[in-house]
Amino acid sequence: MVGTSLKNGGLVGLKTTWSLGKVIFPITLIVVLLQYTPVLPWVMEKISPFMKLLGLSGDAAIPLVLGNFLNLYAGIGGILSLDLTVKEVFIVAVMLSFSHNLLIESTVAAKVGVKIWLIVAVRIGLALISAIVINLVWSGGSEMARYGMMPPQQAEPNGWGEILVLGLEKAGFGVLQLALIVIPLMMVIQVMKDLKWMEVFSRWMSPATRALGMNENTSTTMVAGLVIGLAYGAGVMIQAVKEDGVSKKDVTIAFLFLVACHAVVEDTLIFIPLGIPVLPLLLIRLVTAIFLTMVVAFVWNRVDANKERKRHYEQDYNHII
């Protein structure tokens, strides 16, 4: 039985890797190529005037653009190359924790059935609001940041041939990394499902998912996103939506929670080299995710309830007539 489960899980993992790889490969390649054109510097130049509203200097546009176009590692690399204050580093870290890798992770959301524009709007909105609030509330942090370590510097490619090779390498490695994570994960989850362990796990998680306004069958999607993130967790999420019958409302609410708080271990620990307190960073993400999800679920449920009452009223009215 276990052998059959591993085989089925492996096949699902391969299909998922192929589906997501078709998104990750071209986007990664295009963004790497754009780094060596005037496009990204132009975007940074246009963003710079708005930085003061966020409590940031114009240079801080560099890690924000890199983080949002690429990923957290690129954003942090950008931070480490600049002389920023502790407050600026913390604000950029909070912004990037909400809004990073937008192209890939937003496209992944569409694969699960969530509107791309909604995910992008929420992530960018959370990043901007958090920066403005921190800038207004925190009056300290004016000393220069002391970074714990510097990443190894990559040699600059020479000519478009080397740039293209670099882009292909990074895109290929991105898909390979996805496969190495998603395929074994889908195999393990398939075994857990066949052994009925997932049902037990869903019951354990049900109080938390219900408190956030979702049904208990959303637990697999939630855990995948919380532990391994949106991009790598997408395979589990897609399968969970198909097999567990997760409603469009629940998957949308779950994704709203996860865009604010996903990959909680990796995305928190990755900021340690910046020398900032990571516990407040995690708490900001978690509290924001819970508050956002509960508000959206409450409003959505009220709207559904009103629609249902209106439908019953119309039925009763037509019956009387």
Side-chain angles (χ1 to χ4, degrees):
M1 178 181 176
V2 173
T4 303
S5 299
L6 290 172
K7 179 183 175 182
N8 292 337
L11 290 173
V12 171
L14 283 170
K15 289 178 183 176
T16 304
T17 300
W18 172 249
S19 177
L20 296 178
K22 289 187 292 184
V23 172
I24 291 174
F25 189 92
I27 289 178
T28 304
L29 177 59
I30 290 168
V31 173
V32 170
L33 296 179
L34 285 176
Q35 280 185 278
Y36 299 94
T37 70
V39 175
L40 287 187
W42 178 82
V43 172
M44 293 174 192
E45 182 185 342
K46 295 300 178 184
I47 289 177
S48 293
F50 301 102
M51 293 294 99
K52 287 184 180 178
L53 291 173
L54 309 175
L56 299 171
S57 59
D59 287 347
I62 295 172
L64 289 177
V65 170
L66 291 176
N68 279 285
F69 272 81
L70 295 170
N71 50 43
L72 277 179
Y73 295 97
I76 289 174
I79 294 173
L80 292 171
S81 66
L82 301 172
D83 292 324
L84 301 173
T85 65
V86 171
K87 182 176 180 178
E88 285 181 309
V89 172
F90 187 75
I91 289 174
V92 173
V94 172
M95 291 184 72
L96 287 178
S97 68
F98 284 129
S99 175
H100 59 265
N101 205 6
L102 278 180
L103 297 177
I104 288 176
E105 292 187 351
S106 300
T107 309
V108 160
K111 292 276 186 183
V112 184
V114 184
K115 301 290 185 183
I116 289 181
W117 68 264
L118 177 63
I119 297 302
V120 172
V122 169
R123 297 188 74 181
I124 293 177
L126 288 176
L128 294 174
I129 292 169
S130 64
I132 293 169
V133 170
I134 293 170
N135 184 40
L136 293 173
V137 172
W138 188 15
S139 58
S142 57
E143 66 276 13
M144 298 304 294
R146 297 171 64 89
Y147 307 129
M149 64 183 74
M150 289 288 289
Q153 294 294 319
Q154 285 187 325
E156 284 292 313
N158 183 21
W160 278 103
E162 290 187 7
I163 291 172
L164 180 60
V165 170
L166 177 65
L168 291 170
E169 284 178 357
K170 287 192 173 183
F173 181 75
V175 175
L176 176 62
Q177 193 174 28
L178 176 76
L180 292 175
I181 293 173
V182 168
I183 294 174
L185 190 64
M186 298 304 290
M187 293 168 72
V188 170
I189 286 178
Q190 189 63 51
V191 171
M192 291 176 69
K193 282 183 176 179
D194 291 345
L195 294 177
K196 309 296 183 185
W197 292 354
M198 293 303 292
E199 294 178 12
V200 176
F201 190 69
S202 291
R203 286 197 295 271
W204 289 350
M205 284 286 293
S206 60
T209 51
R210 279 201 303 269
L212 293 171
M214 294 172 280
N215 292 319
E216 65 180 49
N217 63 354
T218 322
S219 61
T220 306
T221 301
M222 288 285 287
V223 171
L226 276 169
V227 177
I228 56 178
L230 295 180
Y232 296 140
V236 182
M237 296 178 202
I238 292 168
Q239 198 65 14
V241 169
K242 287 180 181 176
E243 294 185 358
D244 300 343
V246 181
S247 68
K248 185 176 180 180
K249 183 190 84 171
D250 284 347
V251 77
T252 302
I253 293 173
F255 245 81
L256 287 177
F257 181 94
L258 292 172
V259 296
C261 190
H262 59 267
V264 289
V265 177
E266 180 186 357
D267 285 5
T268 302
L269 296 180
I270 194 177
F271 287 106
I272 288 177
L274 301 182
I276 60 172
V278 292
L279 183 58
L281 181 69
L282 174 60
L283 290 176
I284 288 171
R285 294 182 73 196
L286 188 59
V287 170
T288 301
I290 292 171
F291 179 75
L292 174 68
T293 307
M294 292 182 76
V295 168
V296 171
F298 175 77
V299 172
W300 199 323
N301 289 333
R302 286 291 295 270
V303 170
D304 284 350
N306 288 336
K307 285 181 180 178
E308 188 67 19
R309 280 197 296 270
K310 184 179 179 182
R311 190 175 65 83
H312 283 305
Y313 174 79
E314 289 175 350
Q315 285 179 345
D316 293 341
Y317 180 77
N318 292 332
H319 182 70
I320 292 171
I321 293 175

